[in-house]
Amino acid sequence: MAAAPIAKDVADEIRNKFTALATDASKYYEADLERIKTDDKLVSRFLAHQRDDKDETAKMIESVFTWRKVNSVRDLDFSKDPDHVLTSMYFRGQDLDGADVLWVEPKYFDKTKRAEFEKYLMWLVENRPGEADSSQITIVLALGDVGLTEVDVEFIKYFINIFMYYTADVMKKMIIHNMHWLLNGVWKLVSVMLSEGAKKRVLFLKNKEVNKHIPEASVLACVGGPDPFRYQAA
C-alpha cells in the first residue's frame, strides 16, 4: 500500500528535528540524507511507525540511517548469482490490496550461513519492487514442514528486528502459515520483541485461509496454492 499523505509542515518539522540530531554527516549515507529532504512518503512511513510521535520519528530516522551505514546496506549486491539457499526468501506476486508479497521458506535455511541470510534479507527489502514509493509488503512464512530442528531462533529474532526497528512501517502484515504446535514455545520467545501494534499484524492461518489475503491464483504451492512456483533446494 502507498504511504499515507503527510502535511508539508509536519514533514518539514520532522526533518528539522532529525537535522538537529544528525550532527555528524559521516555517520550516514549521503543518498539517505538527500532522500529524506524531499521524500514525503518516506517521512510519512517513519511517522506511522512511531504512531504520529514527531520526536520519536526523528530519533528513529537517525537510528535507522546510522544502522544502514554501519551495515553497508546500500553497498550490498546479490543481484548476480547469490548462494542458492538464500533464495528461499523471495518476492512474488501481490496481496489483495496490491502490496508485494515476500515469501519465506525456513525449511531450507542453513544456520551455518546466518550472516549471509541477514545480509540477503537487508538487500531484498532495500531492493523490493515498491521501495521507491515506500510501499508496504505482506510477508508469508511457510511453516507447514518446519519443526524444531529447522528453526533458527536467532535469525527469526533478526528478521523481526529488521521490521520493528530498521525499516519504516514496511510490514503491512505477516502471515504465519500452518505453524506446528511444537513451535508455540519459539513464538512466545520471539513475540515479546513485537509491539502491540505489530502483533495485530501477525496472522496465524491454516490451509486455504491465506486466500482471504492473497488472490487464490497467486497463492504458491508451498502453502497449498495453485501457483506451481517452488523454491528448489540445490
Side-chain angles (χ1 to χ4, degrees):
M1 295 176 66
I6 185 173
K8 184 66 175 175
D9 61 328
V10 173
D12 286 342
E13 182 182 354
I14 293 170
R15 290 186 178 102
N16 290 337
K17 290 177 180 292
F18 163 69
T19 299
L21 296 172
T23 56
D24 182 0
S26 67
K27 292 173 55 181
Y28 322 107
Y29 281 113
E30 182 178 352
D32 286 348
L33 295 177
E34 290 300 314
R35 181 178 181 183
I36 205 68
K37 290 178 182 178
T38 58
D39 192 338
D40 288 352
K41 292 179 181 178
L42 182 59
V43 176
S44 178
R45 281 293 184 217
F46 274 110
L47 184 62
H49 199 107
Q50 292 298 332
R51 299 193 174 193
D52 297 327
D53 186 317
K54 299 172 190 175
D55 290 326
E56 290 303 314
T57 297
K59 291 177 184 177
M60 182 181 182
I61 295 172
E62 197 281 329
S63 175
V64 169
F65 281 10
T66 299
W67 177 87
R68 286 168 57 81
K69 183 69 176 289
V70 168
N71 289 277
S72 305
V73 173
R74 282 187 175 271
D75 303 313
L76 296 172
D77 186 3
F78 289 91
S79 60
K80 296 180 180 178
D81 300 321
D83 188 327
H84 183 69
V85 72
L86 302 180
T87 61
S88 54
M89 297 186 291
Y90 51 90
F91 279 99
R92 184 174 176 86
Q94 297 179 322
D95 70 10
L96 289 172
D97 297 319
D100 295 307
V101 181
L102 173 62
W103 300 84
V104 182
E105 299 192 54
K107 175 182 178 180
Y108 300 106
F109 284 6
D110 183 342
K111 295 179 183 180
T112 68
K113 299 179 179 179
R114 183 184 301 144
E116 287 300 295
F117 271 98
E118 292 174 356
K119 292 177 182 178
Y120 189 66
L121 176 61
M122 284 189 269
W123 179 80
L124 272 179
V125 174
E126 180 77 0
N127 292 276
R128 68 189 187 277
E131 195 280 333
D133 292 323
S134 298
S135 296
Q136 291 181 301
I137 64 174
T138 285
I139 302 165
V140 179
L141 295 181
L143 298 182
D145 296 320
V146 177
L148 286 174
T149 57
E150 289 87 14
V151 173
D152 185 343
V153 175
E154 292 306 312
F155 179 74
I156 292 175
K157 289 180 180 179
Y158 180 85
F159 190 95
I160 290 174
N161 273 335
I162 288 289
F163 296 104
M164 279 298 301
Y165 304 111
Y166 301 117
T167 56
D169 198 36
V170 167
M171 187 182 80
K172 176 189 171 192
K173 68 180 70 169
M174 181 185 293
I175 295 172
I176 298 179
H177 187 265
N178 277 1
M179 186 178 82
H180 196 282
W181 67 266
L182 286 172
L183 300 182
N184 286 343
V186 174
W187 174 248
K188 289 179 181 179
L189 181 66
V190 300
S191 64
V192 296
M193 301 169 61
L194 296 172
S195 67
E196 289 305 312
K199 287 178 182 178
K200 293 177 181 178
R201 301 185 188 190
V202 177
L203 307 174
F204 291 88
L205 303 182
K206 296 288 187 182
N207 303 319
K208 291 190 176 182
E209 290 176 334
V210 71
N211 296 350
K212 298 176 182 178
H213 304 273
I214 298 172
E216 183 175 2
S218 298
V219 177
L220 300 192
C222 63
V223 293
D227 185 334
F229 178 87
R230 277 187 179 275
Y231 167 80
Q232 298 293 335

